[in-house]
Amino acid sequence: MAKKANVPIVIHLDHGLKKETCLKALELGFTSIMYDCSTDSYEVNIEKVKEMAEIAHSYGATIEGELGHVGDNEDSVEGSSRLNDPARFYTDPLMAKDFVEKTGVDALAIAVGTAHGAYKLPPKLDFERIRMIANMISIPLVLHGGSGLSDSDFKHAIEEGISKVNIFTDINVAAAEEEKKLLIEGKKRGLTDLIPAAVKAVKVETINKMKLFSSIDRI
């Protein structure tokens, strides 16, 4: 399907936590991987990601690393990290520069106040930190845990230097809400009715996000 598409398509492994998983993805033809060693020590994170960057590049694939740790909301699929002081896990700008230079990654996910999953309270992003990191490194910065942010937060983050936004929950919920609506209508509905409706809802929400991120016509 990627080869048939009329726009460039990236087949990306998100949050590859094990070396074996990343290697399998590369063998299967993924064009991009994320090797997430953010919960390891700084030194181990560098060592492991540097090795995987060399392997990924030998396959002609790009690699994303993570520095700092993007937390998890209580009900997220990643599980709650239950951090009392999330700012302690934010990405340090000087370390980001050192990390990129030593690992050779092609993109960097940074921790600046977002979390995976659905938010119970509005997150507070550290826009100054985004700006500082963007001014110190030349590769694209990635924002994880984007679902639930306000439109103004997204726009501000992009203005300060975010190049890639990972979105799942907002799109996932849009599909579920559309299926729920069909079921509430009271008519007999089967998977053959629900699946196309979910696909359409995902498409609509994705287009909305692309417009918000100014991603249209940027091939």
Side-chain angles (χ1 to χ4, degrees):
M1 292 176 68
K3 290 178 179 178
K4 292 179 180 179
N6 58 8
V7 295
I9 300 293
V10 173
I11 307 300
H12 178 67
L13 171 71
D14 194 33
H15 291 288
L17 300 176
K18 296 181 180 179
K19 178 179 179 180
E20 295 76 16
T21 305
C22 293
L23 292 175
K24 183 63 175 179
L26 292 170
E27 292 169 2
L28 290 171
F30 280 56
T31 58
S32 173
I33 62 169
M34 178 189 184
Y35 192 20
D36 184 358
C37 304
S38 61
T39 57
D40 290 320
S41 69
Y42 180 65
E43 292 74 17
V44 171
N45 192 353
I46 288 177
E47 180 183 354
K48 291 167 69 172
V49 174
K50 181 178 185 296
E51 178 190 24
M52 187 55 63
E54 293 173 352
I55 296 172
H57 292 158
S58 73
Y59 276 85
T62 58
I63 180 170
E64 175 184 331
E66 181 172 323
L67 186 62
H69 183 59
V70 178
D72 307 320
N73 282 298
E74 186 173 352
D75 298 322
S76 73
V77 291
E78 288 84 357
S80 174
S81 55
R82 302 184 186 279
L83 304 178
N84 293 322
D85 183 15
R88 293 191 299 116
F89 297 85
Y90 285 4
T91 306
D92 179 271
L94 289 175
M95 292 177 72
K97 184 176 186 295
D98 183 64
F99 183 86
V100 169
E101 292 174 349
K102 290 181 177 178
T103 60
V105 291
D106 303 291
L108 182 66
I110 57 175
V112 291
T114 55
H116 295 289
Y119 293 100
K120 291 187 176 181
L121 295 172
K124 185 177 180 181
L125 270 62
D126 190 337
F127 297 109
E128 175 63 25
R129 190 179 299 267
I130 296 174
R131 184 187 310 118
M132 290 176 65
I133 297 173
N135 287 336
M136 297 181 77
I137 66 176
S138 59
I139 64 172
L141 297 181
V142 184
L143 185 70
H144 285 250
S147 293
L149 295 183
S150 66
D151 289 358
S152 61
D153 278 344
F154 278 125
K155 291 179 179 179
H156 194 176
I158 292 169
E159 288 171 357
E160 298 298 352
I162 292 296
S163 297
K164 172 174 172 268
V165 180
N166 281 32
I167 292 287
F168 172 72
T169 301
D170 281 354
I171 295 173
N172 189 40
V173 169
E177 288 292 340
E178 183 63 25
E179 292 182 339
K180 177 182 176 182
K181 185 181 76 172
L182 289 179
L183 291 172
I184 290 177
E185 288 177 355
K187 299 176 182 177
K188 288 186 177 181
R189 299 288 184 177
L191 281 178
T192 53
D193 300 307
L194 298 180
I195 291 176
V199 170
K200 182 178 179 180
V202 167
K203 179 178 179 180
V204 170
E205 184 62 22
T206 301
I207 291 173
N208 289 338
K209 286 292 190 287
M210 290 178 68
K211 290 178 179 177
L212 175 61
F213 303 157
S214 299
S215 299
I216 306 296
D217 295 327
R218 294 180 65 86
I219 297 175

